[in-house]
Amino acid sequence: MKTESIQQYDPIINDAIKKELHRQENGLEMIPSENFVSPAVLEALGSVVTNKYAEGYPGKRYYGGCEHIDTIEQLAIDRAKQIFGAEHVNVQPLSGAPANIAAYFAVLKPGDTILGMDLSHGGHLTHGHPVTHMTQVFQFKRYKTNTKGEIDIENLREMALAHKPKLILVGYSAYSREIAYEKIQAIADEVGAITMADIAHIAGLIAGGEMNNPVPIFDIITTTTHKTLRGPRGGMIMCKEKFAKYIDKSVFPGLQGGPHENNIAAKAIAFKEALEPKFKDYAKQIKANAKALEKVFHANDYTLCFGGTDNHLLLIDVTSKGLTGKDAEEALDKAGITVNKNMIPDDPRSPFNPSGIRLGTPALTTRGMKEKEMEIIAQYINEAITYHKNEERLHEIREAVRLLTKKFPLYTSL
Ligand SMILES: *Cc1c(COP(=O)(O)O)cnc(C)c1O
């Protein structure tokens, strides 16, 4: 067997990994779906657990030698149940998108109708974007937000009554407000629909007690584990006991083969971290930091979609500042600040060059940054947007950003 390190055996890959570490250390990561995992989570991902096949579930495997794998997977399940108060948990989904596909097939038949939020109002690709395979299988109908930026509950009810969906879907990628799960559950009860919440973005805020928890209310909850929950790249499904066997069968053998148990070990560690009292402080700080950004953007006359934020992210219409989302993303990149261009509700522009940018605080909060740093960073963003054509100015901001990041080191042991 080869025993060399990456550095000795594959210098090109080693160099790219080192450069990626350097990029993460020296820039401001404000993509709201990104975060930095702990060294313990990284260690589990790179462990020998990756070698093991373990099709099936703890205690019911199709392969021998799974005794230690069972310990790992059962612990991940038990910790997730404790965090969210779930009746049943499946930790095998490889990521958020396959978790959603598995959930759809667990309870729906081809041709069934799903009522989800309009994608330009914050919904995710997997909630019925025409480019995804699921739109060939299921019929997606869409509700929207109202002019105040709240989910339009009346419109949602009317659509539910008109289309009689089998599934009502909430949980979003670019929506910055709280969700009233009870009201939506009441509409679902009225039309006999199953409820599903995709908490991919906000799972960490829910775990930390900073946002409403749909798990005790809704039928099925899907999530990623790598966004605010700060675990490894992966997915998870929680559900009421009555859907347990359908969910498990849908994940395996319905959709996936052997589970990635190294990843599940890393999920278990991240869940242990999320159960610590410190994680509550983390979740609180994520929100406080987003509010601090909101304050500066409001003061500088930015158009914040949905009127502002209750969570970790902000969706900003930058067109009133004389540029597009793509221009803003590029200018901020040059200034060492990573955000992503994003559609705004009913965006008249295209997804490749939309009107908005989306940014958030989970990764910066993991670095230890607080309100004071957010005020400085919001000013840098404002400056980069205002002077987006001035390369020299952008370069100066990048230098200031680098100095700021030096005060908040990441991964000092790597
Ligand atoms: C990120 C996200 C997903 C998809 O997760 P992947 O891990 O990228 O497949 C699904 N739903 C929502 C709401 C998301 O934000």
Side-chain angles (χ1 to χ4, degrees), residues 95-98 100 124 126-127 171-173 198 200-201 224 226-227:
S95 216
N100 284 348
H124 187 258
T126 55
H127 301 180
Y172 319 103
S173 301
D198 174 354
H201 257 262
T224 63
H226 51 273
K227 297 181 184 175

Side-chain angles (χ1 to χ4, degrees), residues 299-319:
N300 286 284
D301 293 326
Y302 279 81
T303 310
L304 302 184
C305 301
F306 317 117
T309 183
D310 296 329
N311 59 18
H312 62 300
L313 70 82
L314 294 148
L315 183 62
I316 307 174
D317 178 355
V318 291
T319 54

